[in-house]
Amino acid sequence: EVPVIFEAPIASTIVGNLVHAASGGALYRKSSFLEGALGQQILPGFVVLEERPLLRGGQASAPFDGDGLPTANRDVISDGVLNGYFLSVYTARKLGMTPTGNGGGSHNLFLRDTRAGHADLSALMKTMGRGLLVTELLGQGVNYVNGDYSRGAAGFWIENGEIAYPVEEITIAGNLKDMLKGVVAIAEDRLARSAKQSGAILIDRMMVAGA
């Protein structure tokens, strides 16, 4: 078990995992580890997940969702607490809840560390000191029912906050519930090319295996 950093382009997959688990389709089928998690703390208190459908020029901006309902800016997660799901008219009806303007999917998501203490990947590596930097993920290994997470990976081993040597053909494993709660910091190096954006994420510990 070692600390793990997901580089910014890879960190957006964690946002995608979170969105899938909080989507109406997974929830009404009872195939999500976030079922019944509204109002609960699922991330540290310094983390916010913003949805900004009205962002000018955003890749997933839209004044209306696929059901024709108006969209609105909101904080899906604030202070680490899950405030809302991603619900279409159909899935909201299935759950007995109110639609959230997400017919057709989510809009312009930004996962942020409100403390703004790490400008880039280099600063995050210095905070970690020793561990694994993941720059590539392989295969599919996410169980959304219980949160189990296992992916092939490649990247670099970090010693004293610096890259020591490359690693490949390894497996990283954990549980998404623990991974989310174990977020230590998020850098400010988000890439604008995705509709689901996050800077590099440092997680306190994951299992790493490989020859």
Side-chain angles (χ1 to χ4, degrees):
E1 282 193 330
V2 297
V4 172
I5 291 175
F6 288 80
E7 189 184 31
I10 304 300
S12 63
T13 66
I14 301 294
V15 181
N17 296 147
L18 185 56
V19 171
H20 182 95
S23 69
L27 292 162
Y28 85 75
R29 294 185 183 96
K30 300 187 181 300
S31 59
S32 170
F33 66 92
L34 290 180
E35 183 184 358
L38 275 183
Q40 296 181 12
Q41 185 145 13
I42 63 170
L43 279 152
F46 54 80
V47 179
V48 60
L49 177 62
E50 304 168 339
E51 184 176 33
R52 298 292 181 260
L54 304 180
L55 179 67
R56 188 178 181 86
Q59 292 193 34
S61 295
F64 300 93
D65 73 352
D67 296 320
L69 296 181
T71 58
N73 294 331
R74 62 173 179 151
D75 288 348
V76 180
I77 295 171
S78 59
D79 300 323
V81 175
L82 181 63
N83 298 321
Y85 291 135
F86 297 91
L87 306 178
S88 65
V89 169
Y90 177 78
T91 58
R93 186 181 301 120
K94 282 281 192 178
L95 292 164
M97 302 176 74
T98 303
T100 59
N102 293 112
S106 59
H107 308 276
N108 299 326
L109 296 173
F110 304 96
L111 189 69
R112 293 195 303 105
D113 185 332
T114 57
R115 302 169 302 178
H118 296 82
D120 53 24
L121 178 61
S122 178
L124 208 58
M125 286 164 50
K126 287 181 169 56
T127 293
M128 179 171 72
R130 178 179 183 271
L132 177 68
L133 167 62
V134 175
T135 59
E136 185 178 359
L137 290 172
L138 307 169
Q140 298 294 326
V142 182
N143 185 329
Y144 288 101
V145 177
N146 59 19
D148 284 346
Y149 183 100
S150 180
R151 302 284 301 271
F156 298 91
W157 186 254
I158 306 300
E159 290 282 356
N160 299 316
E162 302 287 342
I163 291 176
Y165 51 83
V167 294
E168 61 181 357
E169 296 182 2
I170 61 173
T171 299
I172 57 173
N175 186 281
L176 279 169
K177 291 179 283 189
D178 298 329
M179 290 164 61
L180 293 173
K181 290 181 179 178
V183 170
V184 175
I186 304 172
E188 299 172 49
D189 56 349
R190 294 190 304 274
L191 298 178
R193 65 191 185 203
S194 172
K196 297 179 178 67
Q197 296 182 24
S198 171
I201 297 175
L202 170 58
I203 296 174
D204 61 355
R205 65 184 182 277
M206 292 185 69
M207 291 292 298
V208 178

